Amino acid sequence: MFSKNKKYNIKLKTAFLMLLSVCIQATAQTNAWKPASFEIVKFNYKTFKTTQYAHIFSGSKHNIVRLAPELQGLTGIELPVTYENGANSTLQLKFKESVNILIGVFQDISTAEFTPLNSAKLLIENGLTVTGLPPMNVYSVSYAKGIQLINPVNRPFAILGVVKASEKLEFRNAKLPDGKLWNPTFIVEGFSDEKPLFEIIGGENKPVIDEGMSGTEGIQGGFEGGRVVKVGDTYHMFPTERAGEKGVDYYYDRVKTKIGHWTSKDAIHWKRESTIYQASGTYAVTEDDNPMNDRRAAIWSYMPVFNEKANKWYGYYLAYTVSKEIEPNHSFGRIWRCESTVEGINGIGGPYKDMGIIMEPGLDSQPWEGRQGVASFFPYQVGDKYFGFYSGAYPFNSWADYPKKSGKGWFVALAESKSLEGPWLRMNKGLEPIKTMHPQFVENPIVSQLPNGLYIAIFDGGPDGWGHHLPNMIAYSLSADGVNWAEAHYLPIETKVDKWWDIMRTPLCLIPEGNDVYTIVYNAIDLKRRFHPTGMVKVKLNKDVMESKLRELKK
């Protein structure tokens, strides 16, 4: 899992103060500018709503991740990033009144090179952050009533909206960050030129499990990771409970963990049934992977899988050695397999017995697995074979960096086996992680199949926090064969449910409910609080897009 050392509480407080500063700055000018209507003449340009996640260029993955509140909700025009051979060289707009067009220009472009800005007025410095691109300044350009020509040059710029000439426009520096920090760019479902595979159709506007609710007693830090499955009409959730210890600060929440078993009839109202496993919480006595250390100091990422052949539930989970002094404090992960002692599909609640370690650091490990690997595991069947996503984090450049000099990155690769019991072997000896999904961050993928046979992995897309500039959304990737995985798409669920979180974390399921509707249960973080709650959202599958994706991936 995403790890922090004992300075976690300091990082948390720092992040909160930064968030508070941004909020205070935003409230200084919270009113969005009033839009003016316009009509696009002659050329078939698309429009977009100027808001977070909007893809502002046609045929491009660059999207807005920060914007000044004055711009929120305006109607922009989707232009190409560059103009080649005079294509789309003239944009004609028709106005019913005098207006100001708001134009975004990247700071590394001189306004002298940009024809429409010769008489432009700088309004907002650092007013927009677009993934993978320099900071954007916002200018206003006045136009009279009637049909007007906007003549671009071969430089990327954005039309962010049109406002009435009477609107009071005042200069300020919004101090938004450089978009090049978000590297690479990424596709936000429903905001790009692609038709979305999933439509967010609703869900709960607040956590479904929160601090103080029945069953949360003794769980100081809330939840992160695990899996939800549905048996009959009952949902079964096996989350990592960040229990911690009374009187010990935040960082210990992720050391003394539990695997809980919760049930629900609607994925909203949950009841805690039992504790499946309890970590020891014992810190290591050496800094290396040494058998003197307690290798079950923290337990995470429990994945229940029903084995039809054995007619019982198997559980796969992660056990860590824990260091007080070295980041990440979770180190040298080992994947354990356990079995329910109760046969049949209804034996999901256990009790479970350990059957041994199926993956661990060893001679076939590679430096990219890092200090934290093996950091998660999820098995799935393809034909008569089984594959398993396993992960690594805090990579070493080479084994010369072992055990303390680790870098940043959260990666996955595949293991293979002839059975769920194993043995599990790293494919291609683990030489390279799978970077087609995302080159920097893929965490805790859970695999299932769509109705047409496409494999889908839903996973944690990475935080926009703690110094990391990542999508901060639930992600999915598709595969036609279960081995080769496509570029991730990200689900902006806050467009349809109230955003109660600052940092989105781990999806626990993608459960089909009939009529192409799926349930996603997820964990997320409110930076103002120690407790990490659990949420729920519903999405609807677009079958036409699903079929086009299958054709595309089979090429």
Side-chain angles (χ1 to χ4, degrees):
M1 304 297 291
F2 185 80
S3 290
K4 297 159 282 293
N5 63 8
K6 68 178 184 179
K7 298 178 182 177
Y8 169 60
N9 58 319
I10 298 174
K11 291 183 178 181
L12 190 64
K13 292 171 184 175
T14 302
F16 169 62
L17 291 173
M18 291 174 64
L19 178 69
L20 184 62
S21 174
V22 171
C23 291
I24 291 171
Q25 182 184 10
T27 56
Q29 189 158 2
T30 56
N31 294 329
W33 287 326
K34 295 177 182 178
S37 62
F38 64 89
E39 178 184 344
I40 299 174
V41 180
K42 190 176 180 180
F43 286 105
N44 189 27
Y45 288 97
K46 295 180 181 178
T47 60
F48 64 87
K49 185 177 181 181
T50 305
T51 185
Q52 188 179 31
Y53 307 136
H55 288 241
I56 64 174
F57 299 116
S58 59
S60 166
K61 292 182 286 186
H62 300 289
N63 66 83
I64 298 172
V65 287
R66 300 282 192 279
L67 75 160
E70 299 95 315
L71 305 173
Q72 179 67 39
L74 296 176
T75 299
I77 301 173
E78 195 175 280
L79 303 176
V81 176
T82 58
Y83 294 87
E84 298 178 359
N85 301 321
N88 299 328
S89 59
T90 302
L91 171 64
Q92 297 183 41
L93 299 180
K94 183 178 181 180
F95 306 114
K96 296 180 180 179
E97 59 184 315
S98 296
V99 300
N100 285 308
I101 296 183
L102 304 180
I103 296 179
V105 181
F106 296 109
Q107 288 183 4
D108 61 353
I109 297 174
S110 168
T111 57
E113 302 177 58
F114 192 84
T115 305
L117 294 188
N118 290 339
S119 58
K121 175 184 177 183
L122 177 61
L123 286 182
I124 310 176
E125 193 172 354
N126 300 295
L128 209 70
T129 301
V130 180
T131 54
L133 294 171
M136 181 176 276
N137 294 334
V138 180
Y139 293 80
S140 70
V141 183
S142 298
Y143 287 90
K145 177 181 176 180
I147 296 176
Q148 303 291 344
L149 302 180
I150 291 87
N151 297 306
V153 295
N154 293 330
R155 293 288 189 174
F157 74 105
I159 294 182
L160 303 172
V162 179
V163 298
K164 297 176 181 293
S166 59
E167 184 72 24
K168 186 178 181 181
L169 306 177
E170 295 181 351
F171 169 81
R172 74 183 184 96
N173 189 339
K175 300 181 180 179
L176 296 180
D178 189 341
K180 288 181 289 187
L181 296 171
W182 279 262
N183 186 25
T185 55
F186 49 87
I187 300 169
V188 183
E189 194 91 332
F191 285 85
S192 73
D193 289 340
E194 298 183 28
K195 290 183 178 179
L197 179 64
F198 292 105
E199 177 191 358
I200 297 102
I201 58 174
E204 293 300 295
N205 291 318
K206 60 183 179 181
V208 296
I209 306 180
D210 207 348
E211 187 173 15
M213 291 182 178
S214 177
T216 63
E217 300 85 359
I219 305 173
Q220 295 188 111
F223 304 90
E224 186 180 336
R227 190 185 187 196
V228 176
V229 296
K230 193 175 185 182
V231 179
D233 63 353
T234 302
Y235 299 88
H236 295 263
M237 177 168 61
F238 297 84
T240 302
E241 299 173 349
R242 304 171 69 255
E245 190 171 287
K246 293 294 183 183
V248 180
D249 216 339
Y250 293 83
Y251 66 88
Y252 201 63
D253 294 351
R254 51 185 300 104
V255 177
K256 198 162 189 177
T257 56
K258 297 178 183 179
I259 302 299
H261 175 211
W262 296 67
T263 60
S264 174
K265 294 294 185 180
D266 57 8
I268 300 172
H269 303 92
W270 291 90
K271 177 186 177 184
R272 193 179 192 278
E273 300 288 351
S274 65
T275 298
I276 303 297
Y277 283 104
Q278 167 73 66
S280 71
T282 303
Y283 284 108
V285 296
T286 71
E287 64 187 23
D288 60 342
D289 188 11
N290 193 310
M292 293 176 60
N293 299 325
D294 188 328
R295 289 172 168 171
R296 294 173 65 90
I299 292 177
W300 289 79
S301 193
Y302 188 91
M303 299 293 176
V305 176
F306 188 67
N307 185 339
E308 293 185 359
K309 184 177 180 180
N311 192 32
K312 63 175 62 176
W313 284 92
Y314 286 4
Y316 300 83
Y317 66 92
L318 167 63
Y320 280 124
T321 301
V322 175
S323 171
K324 263 189 178 181
E325 305 297 334
I326 300 173
E327 187 176 357
N329 60 349
H330 287 168
S331 302
F332 315 125
R334 286 171 162 79
I335 305 300
W336 286 74
R337 185 179 73 83
C338 59
E339 295 182 2
S340 175
T341 60
V342 180
E343 291 190 353
I345 195 75
N346 293 319
I348 188 169
Y352 286 81
K353 62 177 180 180
D354 281 325
M355 304 304 293
I357 295 169
I358 63 163
M359 287 194 76
E360 63 182 328
L363 295 177
D364 56 350
S365 297
Q366 294 297 322
W368 69 261
E369 295 178 35
R371 184 174 173 91
Q372 201 172 69
V374 180
S376 72
F377 185 82
F378 186 87
Y380 58 98
Q381 187 172 3
V382 178
D384 59 355
K385 295 184 68 173
Y386 290 87
F387 295 98
F389 272 116
Y390 71 96
S391 68
Y394 291 86
F396 301 118
N397 286 328
S398 71
W399 288 125
D401 292 335
Y402 175 90
K404 292 194 293 186
K405 190 179 178 183
S406 58
K408 295 294 175 69
W410 289 259
F411 306 112
V412 295
L414 288 175
E416 60 183 336
S417 175
K418 294 180 180 179
S419 70
L420 283 170
E421 293 83 6
W424 290 90
L425 301 175
R426 291 165 169 84
M427 293 177 66
N428 300 321
K429 298 182 180 180
L431 293 177
E432 290 292 337
I434 299 170
K435 293 189 176 183
T436 53
M437 299 160 79
H438 188 282
Q440 296 171 347
F441 196 104
V442 177
E443 191 170 56
N444 293 327
I446 294 175
V447 180
S448 56
Q449 282 186 278
L450 296 176
N452 66 347
L454 267 178
Y455 294 89
I456 182 168
I458 187 168
F459 58 92
D460 177 351
D464 182 3
W466 303 309
H468 301 281
H469 299 282
L470 291 160
N472 205 34
M473 287 174 278
I474 293 168
Y476 76 82
S477 174
L478 299 174
S479 173
D481 59 8
V483 176
N484 300 286
W485 291 88
E487 182 179 7
H489 287 55
Y490 296 83
L491 301 177
I493 66 176
E494 61 265 43
T495 59
K496 292 295 177 68
V497 299
D498 292 344
K499 186 180 180 183
W500 50 263
W501 64 89
D502 298 307
I503 295 177
M504 175 58 66
R505 291 314 320 267
T506 312
L508 280 65
C509 60
L510 182 68
I511 296 175
E513 306 288 11
N515 297 319
D516 302 323
V517 173
Y518 290 76
T519 295
I520 300 173
V521 178
Y522 61 91
N523 302 136
I525 298 173
D526 178 348
L527 287 172
K528 299 182 291 299
R529 305 170 54 202
R530 179 174 184 168
F531 192 95
H532 298 178
T534 297
M536 187 274 282
V537 68
K538 300 279 189 179
V539 298
K540 190 174 180 66
L541 175 70
N542 185 320
K543 283 188 172 179
D544 290 338
V545 175
M546 176 184 69
E547 294 299 338
S548 68
K549 292 289 186 182
L550 180 60
R551 291 191 295 270
E552 177 185 327
L553 292 172
K554 280 189 170 182
K555 287 181 180 178

